[in-house]
Amino acid sequence: MNYHTKKTMKQANSRWLLALSLVLSLVSSQPGLALAASPEASSTAPSPVQTVLNLFRDVREASHTEVVTTKGLVNTTFVKAPTKSETEENTEEEKAPQEKKPTIKTMTVDITAYASNVWECDDSPFTTADGSLVRDGIVATNVLPFGTKFRIPKYFGDKIFEVHDRMNSRYSYRVDIWMMKDKEVTKWGLKRNATIEIVEMGDGKTQWAQWTKNKKAMQEQEQALRQEMKLANATK
């Protein structure tokens, strides 16, 4: 039994004990009280016992109960369980697609791809030019500042790419997409005159400070990336 299940059962037992204590208190204070209301009283306000029975019903239907004790007084708040329609509405809200970021500028570029190999990068192929680590969605380009975000709708739909790396200085209007597998790079080849939609212009800031503050952690992440790429390229 997990912690959540134990907690739920404990709350349920507390609610029933609270309601039972109210019944016992009422019965002990009024021994001759009947459990059923008389016909004459059926059209009037509910009897005290009926009120307690209604409390039982509310406890059963409640999703949880909060009890706050202050100076010997118990204040109980019942929160009704959501109805089916309410649950469906919440589910629909969760499934609703996020609003698409507006395009602030478009550019036409050639698109290539690269992987973390020394012959494609340098002696630290898993570290980008701005000091971050390679990962899915990062690109190298010389025409946009670090942190710039854009889409490549023709090939990747609404996927967002972010500039964190640089290319050889001889390339101007070109974008290089980082990929995990060498065969993916080869398959991609060169896509000419592709349109990119810029949704956020970067501030150009680098992230080299994290290597000074968390060098060991960064090295461990880099080593994990090496292993992941090695395994990825080993599979067909």
Side-chain angles (χ1 to χ4, degrees):
M1 186 181 298
N2 60 32
Y3 171 77
H4 178 72
T5 303
K6 289 181 179 179
K7 184 178 180 181
T8 303
M9 291 180 65
K10 185 176 181 180
Q11 290 175 338
N13 291 336
S14 298
R15 294 195 296 266
W16 284 107
L17 288 173
L18 174 64
L20 182 59
S21 65
L22 291 174
V23 172
L24 293 175
S25 298
L26 182 62
V27 172
S28 61
S29 63
Q30 302 182 50
L33 192 62
L35 290 178
S38 62
E40 293 80 4
S42 61
S43 59
T44 62
S47 66
V49 171
Q50 186 61 47
T51 300
V52 173
L53 293 176
N54 291 339
L55 176 61
F56 266 105
R57 181 196 60 201
D58 290 342
V59 168
R60 186 178 63 253
E61 295 176 356
S63 59
H64 70 275
T65 305
E66 298 177 355
V67 179
V68 180
T69 304
T70 305
K71 295 182 180 179
L73 298 179
V74 178
N75 300 324
T76 306
T77 303
F78 295 100
V79 180
K80 294 292 185 181
T83 62
K84 182 179 179 181
S85 60
E86 290 173 341
T87 303
E88 292 175 349
E89 288 176 2
N90 293 335
T91 303
E92 291 300 323
E93 290 178 359
E94 293 175 357
K95 293 181 178 179
Q98 296 182 351
E99 184 178 353
K100 184 177 179 180
K101 292 186 177 181
T103 300
I104 60 176
K105 183 180 179 180
T106 59
M107 293 178 62
T108 301
V109 298
D110 294 337
I111 303 178
T112 51
Y114 73 107
S116 294
N117 296 306
V118 174
W119 60 85
E120 293 184 77
C121 306
D122 52 24
D123 58 353
S124 55
F126 291 89
T127 306
T128 64
D130 73 343
S132 58
L133 294 175
V134 293
R135 56 195 178 279
D136 181 53
I138 71 141
V139 300
T141 185
N142 298 330
V143 297
L144 293 168
F146 292 138
T148 299
K149 298 179 182 180
F150 61 83
R151 293 183 290 260
I152 311 175
K154 182 177 180 179
Y155 300 104
F156 296 97
D158 291 334
K159 181 178 180 177
I160 299 294
F161 291 86
E162 191 166 344
V163 179
H164 286 284
D165 215 349
R166 293 294 187 223
M167 302 182 68
N168 189 292
S169 59
R170 70 176 180 271
Y171 297 115
S172 54
Y173 281 83
R174 178 172 290 195
V175 168
D176 214 12
I177 303 173
W178 182 84
M179 295 183 176
M180 176 69 75
K181 298 182 178 181
D182 293 330
K183 63 181 180 181
E184 292 176 343
V185 173
T186 303
K187 183 179 180 180
W188 177 264
L190 170 64
K191 304 292 190 293
R192 293 192 179 276
N193 300 320
T195 299
I196 64 173
E197 299 176 346
I198 300 173
V199 298
E200 183 180 326
M201 195 64 71
D203 56 15
K205 293 181 179 180
T206 64
Q207 302 178 41
W208 286 106
Q210 65 183 335
W211 284 91
T212 303
K213 296 179 180 179
N214 307 298
K215 185 176 181 179
K216 184 178 180 181
M218 295 296 292
Q219 289 175 335
E220 291 176 349
Q221 291 180 45
E222 184 177 17
Q223 184 60 31
L225 275 169
R226 289 179 183 275
Q227 294 298 323
E228 185 179 358
M229 184 174 176
K230 183 178 180 180
L231 291 173
N233 283 294
T235 58
K236 295 183 179 180

